[in-house]
Structure formats: C-alpha cells, structure tokens
Amino acid sequence: AQSVSQHNHHVILSEAASLELGCNYSYGGTVNLFWYVQYPGQHLQLLLKYFSGDPLVKGIKGFEAEFIKSKFSFNLRKPSVQWSDTAEYFCAVKKDTGRRALTFGSGTRLQVQP
Amino acid sequence: NAGVTQTPKFQVLKTGQSMTLQCAQDMNHEYMSWYRQDPGMGLRLIHYSVGAGITDQGEVPNGYNVSRSTTEDFPLRLLSAAPSQTSVYFCASSRAGLNTEAFFGQGTRLTVV
C-alpha cells in the first residue's frame, strides 16, 4: 500500500506565482521527511529535510516545508516560482521501524511558464 | 568528492540477457539501497542493505538479486532481463539510523528490448 501520497501529479504555474505541493504519509510513529527535486535528465537532489524540532524547515532555492504532525503532512512551498524551478518533486519518508530505506511519493511534475 | 557512483549510465539489453549494475560509495555508509523510477510511480525500493553481508527485499524485488560483500559496493543483478525492467535505476547510501540523509547516484537508464 502506498504510504506516501502526493496529490498533485502535474502542476502548471506562471512565473512569480506561489507554489504549494501536498504530501501526506500514513504512519503514526517517528519519521524523517524529505523533499527531493529532479531536474530534467538529472539525478535526485535534496531540497530540504525534517528530522525534529521546528516544524517549518527551509531548504535550498527559497523552498520551505511545514510538518503538521496531526495531519501527517509535509507540504512544500515557495512564494514565487521561477522558470528554472521546472522539475519533478518527490516527497519521501523514512520510518523509525521496518525497512531502513526511503519510501517515495509518486512525484509532482511542476511546469513553470515564463 | 565521489559520493555514490553508478555504472553504467546507459545500457540496452536484449530480453533474457543478464547484467550487473554497479554501485559504489566512498562515505563509509552502512545503509545502501536500489530504487527504480518509472513515470507516475515515483521511486520504488528494489533491495536494500543495512551493512556488509545483510540484504533485504524492498517493494519490487522480483527479477533482481543483490549482495553486499563490502561496505562500499552494492551491485544489482538482473538474471534474465525482461522489457518490464526498462527503467531508470538509482542507488543510494546513508549512515545508519534515523536523522540521516540519503545520497543518490546519477542513475542508470536501462532499456530492455
């Protein structure tokens, strides 16, 4: 069963628009949360991560994400997107039990139009 | 810094052929894993290892074998390639436990004809 859900599969925005990509996971224990970005033809790059502490985390390139434990969510945000943000974005979860590996969502393809 | 190195970057196989995808890391990480990436499905875990001599199955292990004889290397073997194994394969490594970040290789694009 898919334990990480990304509800937006394909998002099209104009430059300067605000972005929010949803991520929900289905696990009640302790988790590490990640957002990765994959630019066309490239490998995965870490955007940001949450381990513990302040639920609002800031990453590279102006991205941030908020961990809401009660909602099992870790949504990615950016106030103003640029054409260079065109990429695929993956949410990933690492649990404190079971497989010691990441579980990924299905990804969201973001297309930013100039 | 090399990080996680995957070879080859591209490969075309005929149905029924075998091959090994190589993955090596130079960070002395305990955990290593293999994923396949298919459109609309994200990355799915094939096999993973928590240390030398220890491997376990992920979500989609069928058709793939792994071994971990050293900390550095984690090869993925396709014993008899099938068109359904056409995908992009990523290897990752991390330190043990929670609160650690995974580092990914550049990927191997495999086509089975």
Side-chain angles (χ1 to χ4, degrees):
Chain A
Q2 177 68 281
S3 60
V4 181
S5 298
Q6 291 182 243
H7 307 294
N8 315 103
H9 299 294
H10 189 193
V11 174
I12 302 173
L13 295 174
S14 299
E15 276 192 312
S18 64
L19 170 72
E20 181 160 1
L21 301 182
C23 174
N24 288 90
Y25 63 95
S26 55
Y27 179 67
T30 301
V31 293
N32 291 162
L33 298 160
F34 305 84
W35 276 98
Y36 286 88
V37 61
Q38 186 178 36
Y39 298 104
Q42 297 192 23
H43 65 294
L44 291 166
Q45 298 177 37
L46 181 67
L47 267 182
L48 47 79
K49 61 194 177 194
Y50 172 81
F51 290 164
S52 63
D54 188 344
L56 184 62
V57 293
K58 296 190 184 299
I60 60 172
K61 306 188 181 190
F63 286 91
E64 65 179 31
E66 184 176 13
F67 170 49
I68 303 179
K69 189 173 182 179
S70 60
K71 295 184 178 181
F72 301 93
S73 69
F74 190 56
N75 292 354
L76 181 71
R77 300 194 291 249
K78 186 171 184 178
S80 176
V81 294
Q82 302 172 318
W83 177 79
S84 58
D85 293 323
T86 294
E88 192 152 17
Y89 293 80
F90 295 95
C91 179
V93 174
K94 188 174 179 183
K95 302 174 185 176
D96 62 348
T97 59
R99 293 178 183 145
R100 299 295 194 259
L102 295 170
T103 300
F104 283 85
S106 57
T108 297
R109 181 166 297 175
L110 172 65
Q111 184 179 345
V112 181
Q113 296 176 333
Chain B
N1 294 337
V4 180
T5 303
Q6 288 183 238
T7 55
K9 288 188 170 53
F10 301 94
Q11 183 71 49
V12 178
L13 287 179
K14 293 182 179 179
T15 297
Q17 286 185 314
S18 62
M19 81 159 295
T20 299
L21 307 186
Q22 302 291 346
C23 176
Q25 52 96 5
D26 62 358
M27 296 172 281
N28 204 32
H29 286 167
E30 295 89 348
Y31 292 177
M32 296 187 74
S33 49
W34 276 102
Y35 297 85
R36 59 177 289 173
Q37 182 182 20
D38 301 292
M41 305 188 78
L43 279 80
R44 293 179 293 168
L45 182 66
I46 304 171
H47 285 285
Y48 67 101
S49 169
V50 298
I54 306 169
T55 63
D56 206 346
Q57 295 181 349
E59 294 175 70
V60 288
N62 292 342
Y64 307 95
N65 278 356
V66 292
S67 59
R68 183 103 179 264
S69 56
T70 67
T71 299
E72 294 78 19
D73 299 300
F74 191 44
L76 178 72
R77 296 185 193 85
L78 283 71
L79 300 178
S80 178
S84 61
Q85 293 178 304
T86 293
S87 188
V88 181
Y89 292 84
F90 288 98
C91 178
S93 74
S94 70
R95 287 185 290 112
L98 272 183
N99 302 340
T100 63
E101 174 189 338
F103 294 82
F104 285 82
Q106 300 268 356
T108 296
R109 185 174 293 273
L110 175 67
T111 302
V112 183
V113 298

